[in-house]
Amino acid sequence: MSEFGESPSPDDPSRNGERIKPALKEIPGLLDAREAGGKYSKDCTLILTEGNSAQTLIWTSLDRDYYGIFALNGKPLNVLKATKQTLEENEQLSYIKEIIGLEDGKDYKSTDDLRYGHILLMTDQGLGAMTYEEGKEVLANKEKLLKEFLLLEEEDKKVIEVASGKKEKDRKTWMLNNEFDDCHLDINAKHIKYKDFFNSDFRQYCLVNCRRSIPSIVDGLKPAQRKIIWCSLGIDFTEAMTVTALAHQVATETAYRHKESNLYAPIIGFAQDYVGSNNIKLFQPIGVFGTRLKGGKDHGEPRYLNTRLLPIARLIFPQDDDEILPEYDGNEEESVEPKWLLPIIPMILVNGCDGGIGTGYSCNIPKFDPLQLIAMLKKKFYNGSYGDLEPWYKGFKGKIDSEIVDDQNVWYSHGVYDQEDDGEYVITELPIGEWTENYENWLRDKDGKLSNNVYITELKSLGDERKIDIRISTISSKRLKTSADGDDESSIEDMFNLKKKLDTKHMNLFDQSGQITYYETADDIFEAYYAIRLPYYGERKKKMLHKLDDEISMLSNKIKLIELVRGNTIDMCADRTASEREEMLTSHGFARLPDFKYLESMSGLCSFTAEALKELETKLKELEDKKNTLTTMTREKLWEEDLDALEKYIQNFSLVEEMGPGAM
DNA sequence: CCTACTGCTAC
DNA sequence: CGGCGTAGCAGTAGG
DNA sequence: GGATGACGAT
DNA sequence: CGTATATCGTCATCC
């Protein structure tokens, strides 16, 4: 504490004026201004900081007679959407109310009766990362940085309602209205109108929030997920590593600007394989990665979990495409992930997306069978017809079907139940997204009463973390229909809550041009993906042909040189100046690639054996064959080869992969 | 003199 | 943002 | 009918 | 070894 020198202790009473309200020691984390609640309340400013480190920092350099500091923890409540109860229960807000002495139900005309006359929000994200010296420097200039928000006008209120109130529909159009794209706050302006702030910075924030929460149609990934995959594609995973270590590496190598612990969950998510998680898991789970008991929330601590990218990832994201991946916009200096990866199947349909919650838009997409997707792609290559996509979940034992509700196609997943001879019900599968523990708790919470006339007499849970096995004995006040009555299947299903809708009404994705786009059906997504992906096979082909051409050219020039040297047509060993030698090589028609270094650096030019030359000629022939084959190949054919490899892998090696690459 | 406790560090 | 328990170590207060 | 919780990146 | 707060959109479920 000595470095804070003469600063009097916060509760030093010596300078207190007459108090309106006593000092508030009981509020944790509050550093109260000495004059707050006293004669000079009006001149007091309460500074609200983001997090405690910022608080500690500015505490050292403020006049604490007139400045109080209170650290806000976490994100603030949106009071436009909160219910009365939520509002009242919000700790932060009640503390702030108490600190400034605001009383419920009182009509204030001025700030005279308050403990503080001003509130200052200190929102610079970097404050916590500064040294004390830097912090003092910033605070010394705080008047320059200070912005004052003007009083609310009608127009302001409207914009605020649209931007953060309960008007999601309006918010969608407001967000995508590019009239506002050029809106910027004047850095030097002292005063800010709320509407200007919302139309510029806040609208940008909304777009950013969508960008991080809504996947791309191209690779089905959100930025944090893409960073994880991209970075991992470059890691040699002969040894598995802990989730914490991987998160750290991803964060540093792809310039992830947030807490790296935020990466734990998506890494763990990639490695989960319980029913309802991944149709294709991309990472190997070594340790407790979570089960369907708790929908994966029962995973262990990231520092105890080990993982590695699975080989299937390279079949989905082939190495051959690495060079044609588009660069991330506007990041020349820093190493970051590409704009998107190019999976050979529409990964957004394989592993789906749930809980992609942005601002204005959200994204939910069910999962589909990779083998069906592969089959559809192949049919499409040859203009064959293919059926519609049907949701599919790996390992799911129940049925998935659709009904027409209000003219719209709605998909449902159904659990599985059976009735034994003695009348006992046996549940062996739950609908997609229903977790075992939740479900069993729900049953228990029924407190014996299942429906108006059915009562549970016994409830046994015999399953484990993979298997569902719930046995329920019942009695009913009415005679329940027997199977002879042609019993009403759906009512038993309803009674046990074994039917759940798959959300297909919010399939919003970023398209190739970066626009949030709504897709009505999974088949629309499939078609859109196809249209984007196919041209990239053309790109790949072009790139590969170029590389082959280069290799062929280099090799044939080398061979020619050897032949000329051996035939004594030219003498590479003779005493010549650099320009004389260059002239000689040029006159014999050698290609510059881009200069002659590749020829000059050839070792043993004069002592080449016939065998060695033969070897080079064979290699040249191979390259030329390869080129000829590639030249005749269509984009579809190239793609098909990738698909064949993946298909074979899924069919034959999935089991091996379950055991990890070590088992291969 | 022995015990119990404190403050610190590390896991 | 926080906690628990365990342990080792040195110093110290108290019976 | 209104409140609440779940989803996941932050 | 863990805990808490919150946003954001949408739906199902609860009281």
Side-chain angles (χ1 to χ4, degrees), chain A residues 268 272-274 277 287-302 305 435-437 464-466:
Chain A
I268 292 169
Q272 289 172 327
D273 59 3
Y274 54 87
S277 59
V288 185
F289 275 69
T291 69
R292 62 184 306 182
L293 286 176
K294 292 189 171 178
K297 288 198 190 72
D298 47 348
H299 64 75
E301 283 290 299
L305 304 178
W435 311 123
T436 318
E437 227 181 71
D464 56 28
E465 83 285 351
R466 323 192 92 221

Tab-separated table of all heavy atoms in Angstrom, chain A residues 268 272-274 277 287-302 305 435-437 464-466, chain D residues 7, chain E residues 2:
chain	number	residue	atom	x	y	z
A	268	ILE	N	-14.266	-28.251	-26.546
A	268	ILE	CA	-14.915	-29.418	-25.952
A	268	ILE	C	-16.097	-29.852	-26.815
A	268	ILE	O	-16.298	-31.034	-27.081
A	268	ILE	CB	-15.347	-29.100	-24.501
A	268	ILE	CG1	-14.113	-28.919	-23.612
A	268	ILE	CG2	-16.251	-30.194	-23.955
A	268	ILE	CD1	-14.402	-28.344	-22.239
A	272	GLN	N	-17.248	-33.722	-28.543
A	272	GLN	CA	-18.306	-34.497	-27.886
A	272	GLN	C	-18.974	-35.447	-28.868
A	272	GLN	O	-19.054	-35.165	-30.057
A	272	GLN	CB	-19.334	-33.551	-27.262
A	272	GLN	CG	-18.754	-32.844	-26.049
A	272	GLN	CD	-19.646	-31.754	-25.506
A	272	GLN	OE1	-20.356	-31.099	-26.262
A	272	GLN	NE2	-19.600	-31.554	-24.201
A	273	ASP	N	-19.437	-36.572	-28.352
A	273	ASP	CA	-20.027	-37.536	-29.276
A	273	ASP	C	-21.250	-38.246	-28.708
A	273	ASP	O	-21.610	-39.313	-29.175
A	273	ASP	CB	-18.979	-38.550	-29.736
A	273	ASP	CG	-18.385	-39.294	-28.556
A	273	ASP	OD1	-18.820	-39.062	-27.419
A	273	ASP	OD2	-17.494	-40.126	-28.777
A	274	TYR	N	-21.873	-37.668	-27.726
A	274	TYR	CA	-23.117	-38.273	-27.240
A	274	TYR	C	-24.252	-37.931	-28.220
A	274	TYR	O	-24.108	-37.008	-29.032
A	274	TYR	CB	-23.443	-37.765	-25.831
A	274	TYR	CG	-23.478	-36.269	-25.717
A	274	TYR	CD1	-24.637	-35.554	-25.988
A	274	TYR	CD2	-22.337	-35.554	-25.362
A	274	TYR	CE1	-24.673	-34.180	-25.898
A	274	TYR	CE2	-22.358	-34.184	-25.278
A	274	TYR	CZ	-23.536	-33.504	-25.545
A	274	TYR	OH	-23.557	-32.137	-25.479
A	277	SER	N	-25.122	-34.480	-30.047
A	277	SER	CA	-24.030	-33.488	-30.117
A	277	SER	C	-23.532	-33.360	-31.546
A	277	SER	O	-24.095	-32.598	-32.328
A	277	SER	CB	-22.908	-33.849	-29.148
A	277	SER	OG	-22.367	-35.129	-29.427
A	287	GLY	N	-10.669	-38.177	-22.000
A	287	GLY	CA	-11.078	-37.685	-20.697
A	287	GLY	C	-12.587	-37.504	-20.671
A	287	GLY	O	-13.304	-37.995	-21.543
A	288	VAL	N	-13.067	-36.785	-19.703
A	288	VAL	CA	-14.510	-36.623	-19.498
A	288	VAL	C	-15.015	-35.407	-20.263
A	288	VAL	O	-14.934	-34.281	-19.781
A	288	VAL	CB	-14.808	-36.467	-18.002
A	288	VAL	CG1	-16.302	-36.426	-17.762
A	288	VAL	CG2	-14.171	-37.599	-17.209
A	289	PHE	N	-15.532	-35.629	-21.458
A	289	PHE	CA	-15.961	-34.508	-22.299
A	289	PHE	C	-17.458	-34.246	-22.236
A	289	PHE	O	-17.971	-33.401	-22.960
A	289	PHE	CB	-15.519	-34.737	-23.749
A	289	PHE	CG	-14.110	-34.281	-24.011
A	289	PHE	CD1	-13.031	-34.946	-23.451
A	289	PHE	CD2	-13.870	-33.167	-24.806
A	289	PHE	CE1	-11.729	-34.513	-23.680
A	289	PHE	CE2	-12.571	-32.722	-25.045
A	289	PHE	CZ	-11.498	-33.394	-24.474
A	290	GLY	N	-18.155	-34.974	-21.364
A	290	GLY	CA	-19.576	-34.714	-21.203
A	290	GLY	C	-20.429	-35.771	-21.879
A	290	GLY	O	-19.992	-36.412	-22.820
A	291	THR	N	-21.621	-35.933	-21.379
A	291	THR	CA	-22.506	-36.994	-21.852
A	291	THR	C	-23.920	-36.457	-22.033
A	291	THR	O	-24.204	-35.298	-21.729
A	291	THR	CB	-22.587	-38.125	-20.810
A	291	THR	OG1	-23.299	-37.625	-19.668
A	291	THR	CG2	-21.198	-38.591	-20.396
A	292	ARG	N	-24.793	-37.327	-22.507
A	292	ARG	CA	-26.178	-36.910	-22.676
A	292	ARG	C	-26.907	-36.820	-21.348
A	292	ARG	O	-28.067	-36.386	-21.301
A	292	ARG	CB	-26.892	-37.856	-23.647
A	292	ARG	CG	-26.960	-39.293	-23.180
A	292	ARG	CD	-27.588	-40.168	-24.232
A	292	ARG	NE	-28.901	-39.679	-24.664
A	292	ARG	CZ	-29.688	-40.264	-25.543
A	292	ARG	NH1	-29.279	-41.379	-26.124
A	292	ARG	NH2	-30.855	-39.756	-25.874
A	293	LEU	N	-26.268	-37.231	-20.272
A	293	LEU	CA	-26.898	-37.051	-18.958
A	293	LEU	C	-27.200	-35.579	-18.726
A	293	LEU	O	-28.265	-35.218	-18.239
A	293	LEU	CB	-25.977	-37.557	-17.844
A	293	LEU	CG	-25.826	-39.069	-17.672
A	293	LEU	CD1	-24.797	-39.364	-16.592
A	293	LEU	CD2	-27.166	-39.695	-17.315
A	294	LYS	N	-26.253	-34.738	-19.078
A	294	LYS	CA	-26.429	-33.298	-18.844
A	294	LYS	C	-26.195	-32.498	-20.102
A	294	LYS	O	-25.836	-31.316	-20.039
A	294	LYS	CB	-25.458	-32.821	-17.761
A	294	LYS	CG	-25.770	-33.358	-16.406
A	294	LYS	CD	-24.917	-32.671	-15.356
A	294	LYS	CE	-25.447	-33.091	-14.017
A	294	LYS	NZ	-24.872	-32.686	-12.848
A	295	GLY	N	-26.316	-33.134	-21.263
A	295	GLY	CA	-26.117	-32.389	-22.498
A	295	GLY	C	-24.716	-31.812	-22.597
A	295	GLY	O	-24.514	-30.728	-23.134
A	296	GLY	N	-23.730	-32.565	-22.058
A	296	GLY	CA	-22.347	-32.136	-22.204
A	296	GLY	C	-21.859	-31.222	-21.103
A	296	GLY	O	-20.671	-30.958	-20.993
A	297	LYS	N	-22.794	-30.736	-20.273
A	297	LYS	CA	-22.362	-29.827	-19.205
A	297	LYS	C	-21.619	-30.569	-18.116
A	297	LYS	O	-21.053	-29.949	-17.211
A	297	LYS	CB	-23.572	-29.128	-18.597
A	297	LYS	CG	-24.182	-28.101	-19.509
A	297	LYS	CD	-25.069	-27.159	-18.697
A	297	LYS	CE	-25.875	-26.269	-19.607
A	297	LYS	NZ	-26.931	-27.033	-20.289
A	298	ASP	N	-21.604	-31.878	-18.204
A	298	ASP	CA	-20.925	-32.674	-17.193
A	298	ASP	C	-19.483	-32.982	-17.609
A	298	ASP	O	-18.933	-33.999	-17.223
A	298	ASP	CB	-21.699	-33.971	-16.921
A	298	ASP	CG	-22.126	-34.680	-18.201
A	298	ASP	OD1	-22.037	-34.066	-19.284
A	298	ASP	OD2	-22.540	-35.850	-18.122
A	299	HIS	N	-18.901	-32.109	-18.411
A	299	HIS	CA	-17.499	-32.330	-18.785
A	299	HIS	C	-16.577	-31.932	-17.644
A	299	HIS	O	-16.956	-31.160	-16.767
A	299	HIS	CB	-17.147	-31.551	-20.047
A	299	HIS	CG	-17.237	-30.065	-19.892
A	299	HIS	ND1	-16.301	-29.330	-19.204
A	299	HIS	CD2	-18.160	-29.181	-20.338
A	299	HIS	CE1	-16.645	-28.053	-19.239
A	299	HIS	NE2	-17.759	-27.934	-19.914
A	300	GLY	N	-15.363	-32.469	-17.710
A	300	GLY	CA	-14.410	-32.167	-16.654
A	300	GLY	C	-13.765	-30.808	-16.840
A	300	GLY	O	-14.105	-30.054	-17.759
A	301	GLU	N	-12.848	-30.502	-15.969
A	301	GLU	CA	-12.122	-29.246	-16.066
A	301	GLU	C	-11.192	-29.268	-17.281
A	301	GLU	O	-10.466	-30.247	-17.491
A	301	GLU	CB	-11.290	-29.031	-14.808
A	301	GLU	CG	-12.102	-28.581	-13.626
A	301	GLU	CD	-12.602	-27.160	-13.829
A	301	GLU	OE1	-11.764	-26.246	-13.973
A	301	GLU	OE2	-13.825	-26.976	-13.848
A	302	PRO	N	-11.208	-28.197	-18.088
A	302	PRO	CA	-10.421	-28.169	-19.325
A	302	PRO	C	-8.960	-28.546	-19.126
A	302	PRO	O	-8.347	-29.128	-20.005
A	302	PRO	CB	-10.547	-26.715	-19.779
A	302	PRO	CG	-11.819	-26.245	-19.189
A	302	PRO	CD	-12.008	-26.993	-17.907
A	305	LEU	N	-8.533	-32.251	-19.507
A	305	LEU	CA	-9.022	-32.887	-20.727
A	305	LEU	C	-7.957	-32.803	-21.807
A	305	LEU	O	-7.358	-31.754	-22.028
A	305	LEU	CB	-10.300	-32.187	-21.204
A	305	LEU	CG	-11.434	-32.132	-20.188
A	305	LEU	CD1	-12.624	-31.371	-20.755
A	305	LEU	CD2	-11.837	-33.530	-19.753
A	435	TRP	N	-32.177	-34.016	-22.303
A	435	TRP	CA	-31.070	-34.670	-21.598
A	435	TRP	C	-31.590	-35.538	-20.475
A	435	TRP	O	-32.576	-35.201	-19.804
A	435	TRP	CB	-30.064	-33.628	-21.101
A	435	TRP	CG	-29.683	-32.669	-22.181
A	435	TRP	CD1	-29.811	-31.310	-22.146
A	435	TRP	CD2	-29.157	-32.988	-23.481
A	435	TRP	NE1	-29.375	-30.766	-23.325
A	435	TRP	CE2	-28.978	-31.762	-24.160
A	435	TRP	CE3	-28.814	-34.168	-24.122
A	435	TRP	CZ2	-28.468	-31.691	-25.467
A	435	TRP	CZ3	-28.317	-34.109	-25.423
A	435	TRP	CH2	-28.150	-32.882	-26.076
A	436	THR	N	-30.915	-36.657	-20.295
A	436	THR	CA	-31.431	-37.708	-19.420
A	436	THR	C	-31.787	-37.187	-18.025
A	436	THR	O	-32.873	-37.443	-17.514
A	436	THR	CB	-30.392	-38.833	-19.287
A	436	THR	OG1	-29.826	-39.071	-20.577
A	436	THR	CG2	-31.032	-40.090	-18.770
A	437	GLU	N	-30.847	-36.452	-17.446
A	437	GLU	CA	-31.078	-36.023	-16.068
A	437	GLU	C	-32.261	-35.070	-15.970
A	437	GLU	O	-33.113	-35.201	-15.090
A	437	GLU	CB	-29.815	-35.344	-15.543
A	437	GLU	CG	-29.413	-35.822	-14.183
A	437	GLU	CD	-28.179	-35.096	-13.699
A	437	GLU	OE1	-28.257	-33.895	-13.365
A	437	GLU	OE2	-27.130	-35.748	-13.687
A	464	ASP	N	-27.535	-45.549	-18.199
A	464	ASP	CA	-26.244	-44.980	-17.825
A	464	ASP	C	-25.993	-43.751	-18.691
A	464	ASP	O	-26.926	-43.185	-19.239
A	464	ASP	CB	-25.123	-46.012	-17.957
A	464	ASP	CG	-25.045	-46.605	-19.353
A	464	ASP	OD1	-25.437	-45.901	-20.314
A	464	ASP	OD2	-24.602	-47.759	-19.491
A	465	GLU	N	-24.723	-43.369	-18.823
A	465	GLU	CA	-24.464	-42.109	-19.511
A	465	GLU	C	-24.688	-42.220	-21.021
A	465	GLU	O	-24.745	-41.205	-21.714
A	465	GLU	CB	-23.060	-41.587	-19.180
A	465	GLU	CG	-21.927	-42.166	-19.994
A	465	GLU	CD	-21.574	-43.580	-19.590
A	465	GLU	OE1	-22.100	-44.041	-18.559
A	465	GLU	OE2	-20.786	-44.232	-20.311
A	466	ARG	N	-24.844	-43.463	-21.547
A	466	ARG	CA	-25.128	-43.598	-22.972
A	466	ARG	C	-26.543	-44.136	-23.191
A	466	ARG	O	-27.202	-43.762	-24.141
A	466	ARG	CB	-24.129	-44.559	-23.643
A	466	ARG	CG	-22.708	-44.442	-23.097
A	466	ARG	CD	-21.735	-45.187	-23.986
A	466	ARG	NE	-21.194	-44.283	-24.987
A	466	ARG	CZ	-21.006	-44.593	-26.247
A	466	ARG	NH1	-21.357	-45.793	-26.679
A	466	ARG	NH2	-20.494	-43.713	-27.083
D	7	DC	P	-29.090	-26.082	-22.201
D	7	DC	OP1	-28.949	-27.539	-22.307
D	7	DC	OP2	-28.425	-25.334	-21.127
D	7	DC	O5'	-28.605	-25.431	-23.570
D	7	DC	C5'	-29.109	-25.906	-24.812
D	7	DC	C4'	-28.937	-24.840	-25.853
D	7	DC	O4'	-29.785	-23.730	-25.515
D	7	DC	C3'	-27.536	-24.245	-25.907
D	7	DC	O3'	-26.804	-24.906	-26.926
D	7	DC	C2'	-27.768	-22.773	-26.270
D	7	DC	C1'	-29.275	-22.583	-26.151
D	7	DC	N1	-29.686	-21.396	-25.377
D	7	DC	C2	-30.683	-20.556	-25.878
D	7	DC	O2	-31.215	-20.861	-26.946
D	7	DC	N3	-31.051	-19.451	-25.183
D	7	DC	C4	-30.461	-19.175	-24.025
D	7	DC	N4	-30.845	-18.084	-23.380
D	7	DC	C5	-29.438	-20.025	-23.486
D	7	DC	C6	-29.093	-21.110	-24.188
E	2	DG	P	-15.296	-29.262	-10.007
E	2	DG	OP1	-16.423	-30.188	-10.134
E	2	DG	OP2	-14.240	-29.247	-11.026
E	2	DG	O5'	-15.835	-27.766	-9.876
E	2	DG	C5'	-17.018	-27.567	-9.162
E	2	DG	C4'	-17.018	-26.247	-8.443
E	2	DG	O4'	-15.716	-25.619	-8.425
E	2	DG	C3'	-17.876	-25.173	-9.082
E	2	DG	O3'	-19.234	-25.436	-8.867
E	2	DG	C2'	-17.405	-23.943	-8.284
E	2	DG	C1'	-15.907	-24.227	-8.143
E	2	DG	N9	-15.102	-23.445	-9.080
E	2	DG	C8	-14.305	-23.917	-10.098
E	2	DG	N7	-13.718	-22.973	-10.774
E	2	DG	C5	-14.144	-21.800	-10.172
E	2	DG	C6	-13.833	-20.442	-10.465
E	2	DG	O6	-13.094	-20.001	-11.352
E	2	DG	N1	-14.494	-19.575	-9.609
E	2	DG	C2	-15.343	-19.946	-8.601
E	2	DG	N2	-15.886	-18.954	-7.878
E	2	DG	N3	-15.635	-21.209	-8.308
E	2	DG	C4	-15.000	-22.079	-9.129
